[in-house]
């Protein structure tokens, strides 16, 4: 499903402030896996997540998604892969303030040309499934942290992606809301989706549903733990 | 499908504009003001020129004036027969005109005593012209009707004080239409006989002589021959008058535009700063859109709509305001600078003439650069990796 082969990523290469964020990382994630990229801040887990999600390109090495090398794809095809394959949940949620919950959820599919009425129906179905049906017309800035995250999850699901990528999803949530988030992720996994979460929260990586832990430090893979 | 895509992006753009309404309203206000000022100048100078052309196209080919010490003075009518002998001249006739200062209205009027030839030129008149020897009747401009005549209509009476101090009354038999207002607003046309009485003109003299030339191409040659034969005369060609009007209005509008350049530059700086200086929030929004599946072209389309909506709204508002200002409110802001002293009194309303080439030029120098200044920085932001968004 997802494979990285000797992936290295430099930032500001050739400059005095050059940083090697990922160094020779090779991992393999199978379809339906719930994978955690674990490690302290600066270990490279967010960079690896963005490389997997086609949000940046590796300096060297290969990123293979569904048997396709995406690391050298032109920008347009990268966007296509990103839109059709991945759903992103960001640490800060990154919702667009000033518009409603349902408008935020529909946003990824605006450029696809699907009729607004059809899009809205689809967004409302997802929001209802996530317990957010009553909040669909709320401006997102008026939502609680947990509601904002569920909106972000709904947005990640609108394109019915095979792979969900989440970056530090529980960083701003209390234990109860973190459990709620994990419960949603477990359900998605059971629906056959592949989940990749970058986190250093034990509440996440100690969960039973997690079957692959990639432990990272200083941009390198320190350990890979497979669970059944 | 493709149409829905553009509609969706346009919908989102409108939402985005509303989210930053204070910034955008600010830009629209300044942009509208700039368009209003530029359009007002263009509308006004073009309309003045068009009005001048409209009237002058029926004016005589050559007017001969007598000069003494560099000043225009009365011309003997008997020169006519000598001028008529010049090859190419089809006819001549004396013309009687002058100014009348109305102390009550603090206005200068132009008075014309007419001959037969002018009778043909009455297409802009509501009513009729005085006959050559008809007593105590007048055709007047709309401006004088507004200032002097209570009923402002045909059948009213106009009183003028003659050079010998007595009052003469004139029955109004014609009023000029608005299409000719630039020339006729302050114009009083009376018969040749009344003109001579009103101004105490000596017999055998006229203000100047009109010379008609059958062949247009011979006009300069005829004028040259008149000047050679009568060195103290000044032949004035119709084309010269038209060119003078063009130059004067062109120069005046250029002067105002020059004075306005400071404001224009200030706008350009403001627009550039507002449009190019993407805020951190806007940059992040572009990053989010890219991260969730928008292509660079989708982001640029959104920015295009944004620039178009702002600039088009401002452009149309500025254009409408300028139209109202010039053609309904009498160009009150800068008419004195453009019209000049001779037509300030009495005031007149301009007939709408719009040069669409000028509007297209204005569109090209305002809307196009604005849209470009909106798209370019967004393009720079949208071609960078959305990865930075992941990092907050």
């Amino acid at each position: 499903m997802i494979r990285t082969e000797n992936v290295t990523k430099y930032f500001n290469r050739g400059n005095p402030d050059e940083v090697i964020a990922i160094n020779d990382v090779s991992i393999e994630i199978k379809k339906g896996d719930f994978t955690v990229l674990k490690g302290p801040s600066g270990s490279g887990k967010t960079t690896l997540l963005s490389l997997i999600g086609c949000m940046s390109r590796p300096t060297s090495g290969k990123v293979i998604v569904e048997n396709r090398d995406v690391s050298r794809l032109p920008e347009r095809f990268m966007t296509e892969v990103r839109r059709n394959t991945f759903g992103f949940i960001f640490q800060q949620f990154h919702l667009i303030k000033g518009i409603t919950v349902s408008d935020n959820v529909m946003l990824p599919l605006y450029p696809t040309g699907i009729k607004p009425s059809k899009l809205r129906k689809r967004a409302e179905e997802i929001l209802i499934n996530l317990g957010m049906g009553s909040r669909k017309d709320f401006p997102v800035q008026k939502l609680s942290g947990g509601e904002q995250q569920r909106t972000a999850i709904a947005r990640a699901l609108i394109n019915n992606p095979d792979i969900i990528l989440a970056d530090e999803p529980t960083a701003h949530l209390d234990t109860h809301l973190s459990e709620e988030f994990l419960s949603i992720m477990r359900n998605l996994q059971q629906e056959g989706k592949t989940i990749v979460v970058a986190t250093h929260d034990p509440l996440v990586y100690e969960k039973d549903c997690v079957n692959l832990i990639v432990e990272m430090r200083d941009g390198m893979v320190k350990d890979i733990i497979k669970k059944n | 499908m493709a149409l829905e895509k553009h509609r969706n992006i346009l919908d989102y753009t409108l939402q985005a504009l509303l989210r930053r309404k204070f910034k955008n309203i600010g830009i629209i206000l300044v942009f509208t003001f700039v368009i209003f000022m530029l359009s007002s100048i263009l509308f006004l100078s073009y309309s003045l020129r068009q009005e001048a052309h409209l009237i002058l196209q029926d004016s005589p080919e050559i007017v001969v004036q007598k000069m003494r010490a560099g000043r225009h003075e009365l011309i003997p009518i008997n020169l006519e027969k000598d001028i008529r002998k010049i090859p190419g001249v089809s006819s001549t006739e004396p013309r009687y005109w002058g100014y009348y200062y109305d102390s009550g209205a603090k206005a200068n009027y132009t008075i014309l005593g007419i001959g037969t030839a002018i009778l043909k030129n009455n297409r802009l008149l509501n009513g009729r012209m005085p006959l050559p020897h008809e007593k105590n009747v007048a055709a007047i401009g709309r401006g004088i009707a507004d200032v002097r005549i209570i009923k402002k209509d045909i059948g009213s009476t106009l009183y003028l004080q003659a050079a010998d101090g007595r009052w003469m009354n004139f029955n109004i038999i014609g009023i000029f239409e608005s299409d000719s207002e630039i020339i006729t607003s302050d114009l009083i046309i009376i018969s040749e006989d009344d003109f001579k009485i009103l101004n105490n003109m000596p017999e055998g003299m006229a203000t100047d002589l009109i010379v008609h030339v059958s062949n247009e191409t011979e006009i300069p040659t005829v004028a040259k021959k008149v000047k050679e034969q009568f060195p103290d005369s000044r032949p004035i060609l119709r084309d010269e008058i038209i060119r003078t009007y063009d130059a004067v209005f062109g120069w005046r509008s250029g002067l105002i535009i020059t004075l306005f350049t400071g404001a224009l530059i200030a706008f350009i700086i403001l627009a550039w700063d507002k449009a190019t200086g993407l805020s951190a929030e806007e940059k992040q929004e572009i990053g989010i859109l890219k991260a969730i599946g928008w292509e660079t072209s989708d982001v640029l389309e959104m920015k295009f709509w944004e620039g178009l909506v702002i600039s088009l709204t401002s452009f149309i508002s500025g254009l409408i305001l300028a139209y109202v200002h010039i053609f309904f409110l009498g160009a009150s802001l800068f008419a004195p600078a453009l019209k000049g002293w001779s037509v300030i009194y009495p005031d007149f309303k301009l007939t709408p003439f719009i040069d669409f080439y000028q509007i297209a030029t204005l569109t090209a120098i305002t809307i196009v650069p604005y849209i470009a200044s909106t798209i370019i920085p967004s393009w720079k932001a949208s071609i960078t990796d959305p990865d930075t968004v992941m990092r907050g």
Side-chain angles (χ1 to χ4, degrees):
Chain A
M1 183 79 182
I2 302 168
R3 203 166 72 242
T4 67
E5 291 177 6
N6 309 106
V7 166
T8 299
K9 174 74 177 177
Y10 283 87
F11 287 113
N12 308 318
R13 195 163 193 201
N15 294 331
D17 56 346
E18 179 182 286
V19 174
I20 181 161
I22 295 284
N23 191 0
D24 198 26
V25 169
S26 299
I27 60 167
E28 189 172 357
I29 298 167
K30 289 197 168 63
K31 185 174 165 60
D33 272 0
F34 191 131
T35 304
V36 169
L37 307 178
K38 176 189 158 192
S41 293
S43 58
K45 55 189 187 300
T46 298
T47 304
L48 183 58
L49 201 67
S50 84
L51 289 168
I52 291 170
C54 298
M55 285 205 273
S56 64
R57 296 165 203 274
T59 310
S60 63
K62 282 182 186 174
V63 177
I64 293 155
V65 177
E66 290 173 337
N67 301 319
R68 187 181 185 187
D69 183 1
V70 295
S71 44
R72 298 286 175 265
L73 281 179
E75 195 267 342
R76 199 180 156 198
F77 294 106
M78 287 270 275
T79 306
E80 206 177 289
V81 173
R82 207 156 55 225
R83 181 162 59 206
N84 296 334
T85 314
F86 298 102
F88 295 93
I89 300 161
F90 304 106
Q91 184 177 352
Q92 311 283 346
F93 312 136
H94 288 320
L95 300 170
I96 305 289
K97 287 175 190 155
I99 60 174
T100 64
V101 168
S102 49
D103 284 332
N104 262 285
V105 174
M106 295 181 330
L107 210 47
L109 295 186
Y110 272 170
T112 59
I114 300 173
K115 277 190 175 178
S117 55
K118 207 171 167 185
L119 258 181
R120 198 165 290 281
K121 197 177 163 205
R122 196 152 145 190
E124 281 174 16
E125 278 169 14
I126 297 169
L127 285 167
I128 289 166
N129 283 341
L130 293 170
M132 287 286 291
S134 60
R135 291 283 192 268
K136 66 182 167 65
D137 296 325
F138 264 53
V140 284
Q141 67 273 19
K142 290 193 175 171
L143 300 177
S144 68
E147 288 172 329
Q148 286 194 23
Q149 191 181 56
R150 273 184 282 168
T151 305
I153 295 169
R155 185 179 64 186
L157 297 175
I158 189 80
N159 55 348
N160 193 24
D162 290 332
I163 305 165
I164 308 284
L165 304 179
D167 185 31
E168 300 283 8
T170 57
H172 298 290
L173 304 180
D174 60 22
T175 309
H176 171 71
L177 290 173
S178 297
E179 290 285 1
E180 221 170 60
F181 167 78
L182 287 166
S183 156
I184 294 167
M185 289 300 114
R186 190 166 31 230
N187 289 341
L188 290 170
Q189 185 194 16
Q190 280 164 4
E191 287 170 20
K193 299 201 186 296
T194 306
I195 316 283
V196 184
V197 179
T199 185
H200 56 258
D201 184 355
L203 194 70
V204 180
Y205 61 76
E206 285 173 2
K207 278 281 165 225
D208 292 342
C209 55
V210 174
N211 46 15
L212 183 68
I213 299 173
V214 178
E215 200 172 337
M216 299 188 69
R217 189 169 289 268
D218 302 326
M220 290 185 285
V221 175
K222 193 181 159 200
D223 199 5
I224 294 178
I225 303 161
K226 287 183 183 170
K227 293 157 73 179
N228 287 320
Chain B
M1 196 84 164
L3 198 67
E4 288 296 338
K5 170 187 167 171
H6 301 305
R7 202 192 124 186
N8 289 345
I9 293 176
L10 179 60
D11 276 352
Y12 179 71
T13 307
L14 295 176
Q15 285 178 336
L17 286 171
L18 287 173
R19 276 186 286 127
R20 291 184 276 274
K21 54 178 170 287
F22 292 113
K23 174 187 169 181
N24 292 324
I25 287 171
I27 294 174
I28 287 173
L29 286 178
V30 179
F31 203 156
T32 301
F33 175 73
V34 171
I35 298 294
F36 163 73
M37 293 297 282
L38 287 172
S39 313
S40 292
I41 295 164
L42 294 178
F43 283 166
L44 184 56
S45 61
Y46 186 71
S47 292
L48 287 171
R49 266 183 283 193
Q50 285 304 108
E51 292 233 29
H53 278 258
L54 190 71
I55 300 306
L56 293 170
Q57 69 188 9
D58 291 328
S59 63
E61 292 86 7
I62 302 173
V63 171
V64 180
Q65 292 182 339
K66 184 174 167 59
M67 305 298 288
R68 187 186 296 273
R71 296 183 68 85
H72 166 214
E73 66 169 31
L74 298 179
I75 191 166
I77 295 171
N78 59 18
L79 288 184
E80 268 194 280
K81 60 178 184 298
D82 296 321
I83 292 173
R84 247 181 260 140
K85 286 177 190 163
I86 295 172
V89 173
S90 60
S91 66
T92 63
E93 63 180 293
R95 200 168 66 162
Y96 301 89
W97 64 272
Y99 298 113
Y100 180 91
Y101 181 69
D102 179 353
S103 55
K106 292 190 173 64
N108 258 319
Y109 303 147
T110 304
I111 301 195
L112 189 64
I114 61 160
T116 47
I118 299 172
L119 277 173
K120 289 182 279 182
N121 178 20
N122 62 358
R123 66 185 172 84
L124 301 169
L125 187 74
N126 179 23
R128 67 172 180 89
M129 286 281 202
L131 299 170
H133 302 291
E134 197 176 5
K135 293 278 185 188
N136 299 101
V137 290
I140 60 171
R142 178 58 60 191
I144 294 171
D146 290 345
V147 171
R148 290 292 300 270
I149 315 297
I150 296 167
K151 277 168 65 186
K152 297 181 182 179
D153 209 351
I154 291 167
S156 306
T157 306
L158 175 72
Y159 297 94
L160 300 174
Q161 192 172 25
D164 59 8
R166 68 192 164 104
W167 286 91
M168 297 176 72
N169 61 312
F170 295 91
N171 183 33
I172 305 304
I173 56 169
I175 295 179
F176 283 94
E177 300 293 347
S178 63
D179 276 359
S180 66
E181 277 198 357
I182 189 173
I183 299 295
T184 61
S185 178
D186 68 346
L187 184 63
I188 300 173
I189 296 181
I190 55 180
S191 71
E192 191 180 305
D193 294 349
D194 278 346
F195 184 89
K196 286 177 181 170
I197 296 166
L198 187 74
N199 294 290
N200 200 15
M201 289 267 290
E203 273 305 316
M205 303 295 272
T207 315
D208 47 37
L209 297 176
I210 290 170
V211 179
H212 293 291
V213 179
S214 343
N215 186 348
E216 286 267 329
T217 56
E218 285 181 0
I219 295 171
T221 315
V222 170
K224 194 179 162 195
K225 283 181 180 166
V226 170
K227 181 68 185 168
E228 279 168 5
Q229 208 166 327
F230 307 101
D232 61 346
S233 72
R234 179 173 67 177
I236 303 166
L237 276 61
R238 179 177 59 199
D239 288 351
E240 282 174 357
I241 300 172
I242 291 174
R243 275 203 301 275
T244 305
Y245 266 96
D246 280 352
V248 166
F249 294 133
W251 177 80
R252 284 176 182 158
S253 58
L255 186 71
I256 293 183
I257 288 173
T258 306
L259 291 172
F260 184 59
T261 303
L264 190 66
I265 291 169
F267 162 72
I268 292 166
I269 293 168
L270 176 90
W272 183 261
D273 179 58
K274 290 281 184 188
T276 56
L278 284 183
S279 64
E281 193 191 343
E282 285 171 296
K283 278 183 191 165
Q284 195 189 49
E285 184 179 328
I286 290 174
I288 294 169
L289 294 174
K290 288 274 295 186
I292 62 175
W294 283 43
E295 286 181 23
T296 301
S297 61
D298 301 327
V299 174
L300 296 186
E301 183 181 336
M302 179 186 87
K303 288 293 169 185
F304 168 79
W305 287 125
E306 196 176 302
L308 189 70
V309 167
I310 286 183
S311 54
L312 209 58
T313 305
S314 310
F315 192 84
I316 292 169
S317 309
L319 222 53
I320 291 169
L321 288 174
Y323 191 92
V324 171
H325 170 227
I326 299 301
F327 301 121
F328 290 99
L329 303 177
S332 49
L333 278 183
F334 39 64
L338 269 171
K339 287 194 235 165
W341 71 272
S342 64
V343 283
I344 298 173
Y345 304 112
D347 205 1
F348 67 87
K349 196 186 276 183
L350 275 170
T351 308
F353 286 110
I354 294 172
D355 181 357
F356 288 98
Y357 176 74
Q358 284 184 340
I359 302 292
T361 307
L362 198 59
T363 309
I365 64 167
T366 53
I367 291 184
V368 175
Y370 186 82
I371 292 175
S373 72
T374 310
I375 289 178
I376 292 165
S378 306
W379 171 74
K380 280 161 75 181
S382 63
I383 54 168
T384 50
D385 281 340
D387 168 67
T388 41
V389 181
M390 293 278 282
R391 299 166 192 284

Short mmCIF file of all heavy atoms in Angstrom, two decimals, chain B residues 5 10 16 19 46 111 117 149 152 158 197 214 297 326 331 335-336 378:
data_model
loop_
_atom_site.label_atom_id
_atom_site.label_comp_id
_atom_site.label_asym_id
_atom_site.label_seq_id
_atom_site.Cartn_x
_atom_site.Cartn_y
_atom_site.Cartn_z
N LYS B 5 -17.58 23.33 -11.65
CA LYS B 5 -16.30 23.55 -10.98
C LYS B 5 -16.05 25.06 -10.82
O LYS B 5 -15.73 25.54 -9.73
CB LYS B 5 -15.18 22.90 -11.79
CG LYS B 5 -13.78 23.27 -11.33
CD LYS B 5 -12.72 22.75 -12.26
CE LYS B 5 -11.40 23.40 -11.92
NZ LYS B 5 -10.26 22.82 -12.61
N LEU B 10 -16.10 30.06 -7.71
CA LEU B 10 -16.60 31.43 -7.59
C LEU B 10 -17.38 31.61 -6.29
O LEU B 10 -17.23 32.63 -5.60
CB LEU B 10 -17.49 31.77 -8.80
CG LEU B 10 -18.11 33.17 -8.82
CD1 LEU B 10 -17.04 34.26 -8.81
CD2 LEU B 10 -18.99 33.36 -10.04
N ALA B 16 -14.90 34.04 0.55
CA ALA B 16 -13.59 34.51 1.00
C ALA B 16 -13.56 36.04 1.05
O ALA B 16 -13.00 36.63 1.97
CB ALA B 16 -12.50 33.99 0.06
N ARG B 19 -15.34 37.24 4.03
CA ARG B 19 -14.59 37.00 5.28
C ARG B 19 -13.60 38.13 5.56
O ARG B 19 -13.29 38.42 6.69
CB ARG B 19 -13.84 35.67 5.20
CG ARG B 19 -14.73 34.51 5.59
CD ARG B 19 -13.94 33.24 5.63
NE ARG B 19 -13.64 32.76 4.30
CZ ARG B 19 -12.42 32.46 3.87
NH1 ARG B 19 -11.40 32.60 4.67
NH2 ARG B 19 -12.24 32.00 2.66
N TYR B 46 -14.20 64.66 -23.28
CA TYR B 46 -14.68 64.08 -24.53
C TYR B 46 -16.02 64.72 -24.92
O TYR B 46 -16.25 65.05 -26.09
CB TYR B 46 -14.83 62.57 -24.40
CG TYR B 46 -15.19 61.90 -25.70
CD1 TYR B 46 -14.27 61.81 -26.74
CD2 TYR B 46 -16.46 61.38 -25.92
CE1 TYR B 46 -14.60 61.22 -27.95
CE2 TYR B 46 -16.80 60.78 -27.12
CZ TYR B 46 -15.86 60.71 -28.12
OH TYR B 46 -16.20 60.13 -29.31
N ILE B 111 -24.03 87.52 -28.42
CA ILE B 111 -25.17 87.95 -29.26
C ILE B 111 -24.78 87.87 -30.72
O ILE B 111 -23.68 88.30 -31.10
CB ILE B 111 -25.60 89.38 -28.92
CG1 ILE B 111 -26.00 89.45 -27.44
CG2 ILE B 111 -26.75 89.81 -29.80
CD1 ILE B 111 -26.76 90.69 -27.09
N ALA B 117 -27.82 83.11 -44.54
CA ALA B 117 -27.11 81.81 -44.55
C ALA B 117 -27.33 81.05 -43.26
O ALA B 117 -27.45 79.82 -43.28
CB ALA B 117 -25.63 82.03 -44.78
N ILE B 149 -35.40 83.95 -18.21
CA ILE B 149 -36.81 83.88 -18.56
C ILE B 149 -37.57 83.08 -17.51
O ILE B 149 -37.23 81.93 -17.25
CB ILE B 149 -37.01 83.19 -19.93
CG1 ILE B 149 -36.01 83.72 -20.95
CG2 ILE B 149 -38.44 83.34 -20.42
CD1 ILE B 149 -36.13 85.18 -21.27
N LYS B 152 -39.21 80.16 -19.02
CA LYS B 152 -38.21 79.34 -19.69
C LYS B 152 -38.74 78.71 -20.96
O LYS B 152 -38.45 77.54 -21.26
CB LYS B 152 -37.71 78.22 -18.76
CG LYS B 152 -37.01 78.71 -17.53
CD LYS B 152 -36.54 77.55 -16.71
CE LYS B 152 -35.86 78.03 -15.45
NZ LYS B 152 -35.41 76.95 -14.60
N LEU B 158 -37.54 88.69 -23.49
CA LEU B 158 -36.19 88.94 -22.98
C LEU B 158 -35.91 90.43 -23.10
O LEU B 158 -36.15 91.03 -24.16
CB LEU B 158 -35.19 88.13 -23.82
CG LEU B 158 -33.72 88.36 -23.53
CD1 LEU B 158 -33.33 87.73 -22.20
CD2 LEU B 158 -32.87 87.75 -24.66
N ILE B 197 -28.93 98.13 -33.89
CA ILE B 197 -29.53 99.11 -32.95
C ILE B 197 -28.99 98.88 -31.54
O ILE B 197 -28.57 99.81 -30.86
CB ILE B 197 -31.07 99.00 -32.97
CG1 ILE B 197 -31.61 99.37 -34.36
CG2 ILE B 197 -31.70 99.89 -31.90
CD1 ILE B 197 -33.06 98.97 -34.59
N SER B 214 -16.38 76.33 -52.03
CA SER B 214 -17.06 75.11 -52.50
C SER B 214 -16.19 73.88 -52.34
O SER B 214 -16.65 72.82 -51.91
CB SER B 214 -17.48 75.22 -53.96
OG SER B 214 -17.47 76.53 -54.39
N SER B 297 -3.81 25.72 -10.33
CA SER B 297 -4.71 26.46 -11.24
C SER B 297 -6.04 26.80 -10.56
O SER B 297 -6.62 27.84 -10.83
CB SER B 297 -4.96 25.64 -12.50
OG SER B 297 -5.57 24.42 -12.17
N ILE B 326 -20.89 63.97 -14.08
CA ILE B 326 -20.68 64.80 -15.27
C ILE B 326 -21.99 65.20 -15.94
O ILE B 326 -22.20 66.36 -16.25
CB ILE B 326 -19.78 64.06 -16.31
CG1 ILE B 326 -18.42 63.76 -15.70
CG2 ILE B 326 -19.64 64.88 -17.59
CD1 ILE B 326 -17.63 64.95 -15.24
N ALA B 331 -20.76 68.26 -13.58
CA ALA B 331 -19.31 68.16 -13.35
C ALA B 331 -18.85 69.16 -12.31
O ALA B 331 -17.83 69.84 -12.48
CB ALA B 331 -18.57 68.36 -14.67
N ALA B 335 -15.43 71.21 -13.31
CA ALA B 335 -15.87 71.85 -14.55
C ALA B 335 -15.20 73.20 -14.79
O ALA B 335 -14.79 73.49 -15.92
CB ALA B 335 -17.37 72.00 -14.54
N PRO B 336 -15.03 74.04 -13.75
CA PRO B 336 -14.41 75.35 -14.02
C PRO B 336 -13.04 75.21 -14.68
O PRO B 336 -12.71 75.97 -15.57
CB PRO B 336 -14.29 75.97 -12.62
CG PRO B 336 -15.35 75.32 -11.83
CD PRO B 336 -15.44 73.91 -12.35
N SER B 378 -0.13 35.17 -5.25
CA SER B 378 -0.82 33.93 -4.91
C SER B 378 -0.20 32.76 -5.65
O SER B 378 -0.12 31.64 -5.13
CB SER B 378 -2.30 34.03 -5.27
OG SER B 378 -2.84 35.16 -4.69
#
